[in-house]
Amino acid sequence: MRVARAVTGLSAMAAMLVLAGCRQDMHDQPKFFPQRGTTFYTDGRSARPQVENTVARNQLHQDAYFFTGLQDGKEGDGLPIPLTTEVMQRGQERYNIYCTPCHSRVGNGDGMIVQRGYRPAGDFHTDRLRNAPLGHFFNVMTNGYGAMPDYAAQLTPEDRWAVAAYVRALQLSQNAKQADVAAGQHVQDLHDIAKDEGMQPGFADPWGLPSTAIYGTPNNQDNGIPGQNIGTAPAAAAKTAPTAQPSGTKQ
């Protein structure tokens, strides 16, 4: 009996020591949970309002147009960086890397992945996009448009403006007038260029989308997203181009 009492006493002491170590302070520590209320602050919100004029790291965008392409909420039509040969070359390089899979080298919306069944891409040589302000292209690259995702992670703001400038050069290359070229230069029909370079007949004809192209919608229609008709050639871009074209713009 004496031994049993001793064992019981030791067991009780061990249990007390174990229980003393099982405190819930770390589990029930005083903390705020996101989006939950609290009685600590008089407004009842656990998350505190940011200090006025707080700017996140790397987001001090003082030149709003440069970073958004918008002026007073509308797409602007100016180029906020100097237009130089280096800028055009950079725009061409970035365009050929990121844009040609859908829009093609000449910007007609018939890129390789469209030919393999992806949704038709925008044709830069339609009246709608010829008349679109330059900020539209920057805005689309920044935020995406329709089936096109944004490219803000792949292209810096400077590169997006360079690509937008190059798109304008593509548009001019396919729709140039004599007044658009420098003195001593002349505008030549793309059919003549194709013939001189030995291209097959019809190479410079209006572009048509392949039968494999889809819109990716239940009814295979645009449903309000501007695009091109599948199975028929889109409106032909003017078949003229200045002799000194940006590299890769010949059809």
Side-chain angles (χ1 to χ4, degrees), residues 132-162:
L134 197 64
H136 171 75
F137 301 101
F138 182 90
N139 188 27
V140 168
M141 285 182 275
T142 302
N143 301 302
Y145 186 87
M148 174 181 165
D150 72 81
Y151 280 79
Q154 294 87 345
L155 297 169
T156 65
E158 292 89 345
D159 282 348
R160 277 172 259 161
W161 282 116

Side-chain angles (χ1 to χ4, degrees), residues 119 128 136 145-147 215 217-229:
R119 187 193 185 282
R128 180 180 72 87
H136 171 75
Y145 186 87
Y215 282 111
T217 57
N219 60 358
N220 201 32
Q221 299 296 321
D222 267 337
N223 297 332
I225 302 175
Q228 301 167 339
N229 293 325

Side-chain angles (χ1 to χ4, degrees), residues 107-128:
N108 63 5
D110 191 17
M112 280 298 175
I113 68 170
V114 174
Q115 295 179 32
R116 285 161 173 74
Y118 194 68
R119 187 193 185 282
D123 180 357
F124 298 139
H125 307 296
T126 61
D127 289 339
R128 180 180 72 87

Side-chain angles (χ1 to χ4, degrees), residues 30-70:
K31 60 183 178 181
F32 294 137
F33 293 90
Q35 308 304 322
R36 290 190 186 181
T38 179
T39 58
F40 186 82
Y41 295 110
T42 57
D43 61 6
R45 295 186 297 174
S46 60
R48 308 316 302 144
Q50 292 181 341
V51 177
E52 187 176 358
N53 299 321
T54 296
V55 177
R57 187 184 298 273
N58 296 326
Q59 292 187 7
L60 182 59
H61 298 164
Q62 293 178 306
D63 186 348
Y65 180 62
F66 175 79
F67 289 100
T68 66
L70 304 176

Side-chain angles (χ1 to χ4, degrees), residues 65-240:
Y65 180 62
F66 175 79
F67 289 100
T68 66
L70 304 176
Q71 293 177 325
D72 298 326
K74 297 181 180 180
E75 294 168 341
D77 199 26
L79 185 66
I81 59 176
L83 183 59
T84 63
T85 301
E86 290 74 19
V87 166
M88 294 301 294
Q89 290 174 341
R90 178 67 175 179
Q92 181 188 39
E93 179 200 32
R94 298 291 95 180
Y95 176 91
N96 288 342
I97 292 173
Y98 293 109
C99 308
T100 56
C102 293
H103 295 281
S104 86
R105 289 279 179 132
V106 294
N108 63 5
D110 191 17
M112 280 298 175
I113 68 170
V114 174
Q115 295 179 32
R116 285 161 173 74
Y118 194 68
R119 187 193 185 282
D123 180 357
F124 298 139
H125 307 296
T126 61
D127 289 339
R128 180 180 72 87
L129 290 180
R130 281 200 193 108
N131 296 321
L134 197 64
H136 171 75
F137 301 101
F138 182 90
N139 188 27
V140 168
M141 285 182 275
T142 302
N143 301 302
Y145 186 87
M148 174 181 165
D150 72 81
Y151 280 79
Q154 294 87 345
L155 297 169
T156 65
E158 292 89 345
D159 282 348
R160 277 172 259 161
W161 282 116
V163 170
Y166 182 70
V167 168
R168 276 286 189 255
L170 285 181
Q171 292 174 323
L172 178 62
S173 75
Q174 306 299 304
N175 191 42
K177 308 295 187 297
Q178 188 61 45
D180 296 324
V181 299
Q185 301 291 332
H186 68 281
V187 174
Q188 187 176 1
D189 190 284
L190 285 182
H191 288 85
D192 296 335
I193 296 175
K195 183 178 179 181
D196 293 343
E197 296 192 0
M199 302 298 181
Q200 67 270 24
F203 188 83
D205 287 344
W207 304 293
L209 292 171
S211 59
T212 55
I214 61 174
Y215 282 111
T217 57
N219 60 358
N220 201 32
Q221 299 296 321
D222 267 337
N223 297 332
I225 302 175
Q228 301 167 339
N229 293 325
I230 294 176
T232 60
K239 295 298 181 290
T240 56

Side-chain angles (χ1 to χ4, degrees), residues 19-35:
L19 292 174
C22 293
R23 300 180 60 184
Q24 298 295 305
D25 290 352
M26 292 295 293
H27 179 73
D28 296 328
Q29 60 181 296
K31 60 183 178 181
F32 294 137
F33 293 90
Q35 308 304 322

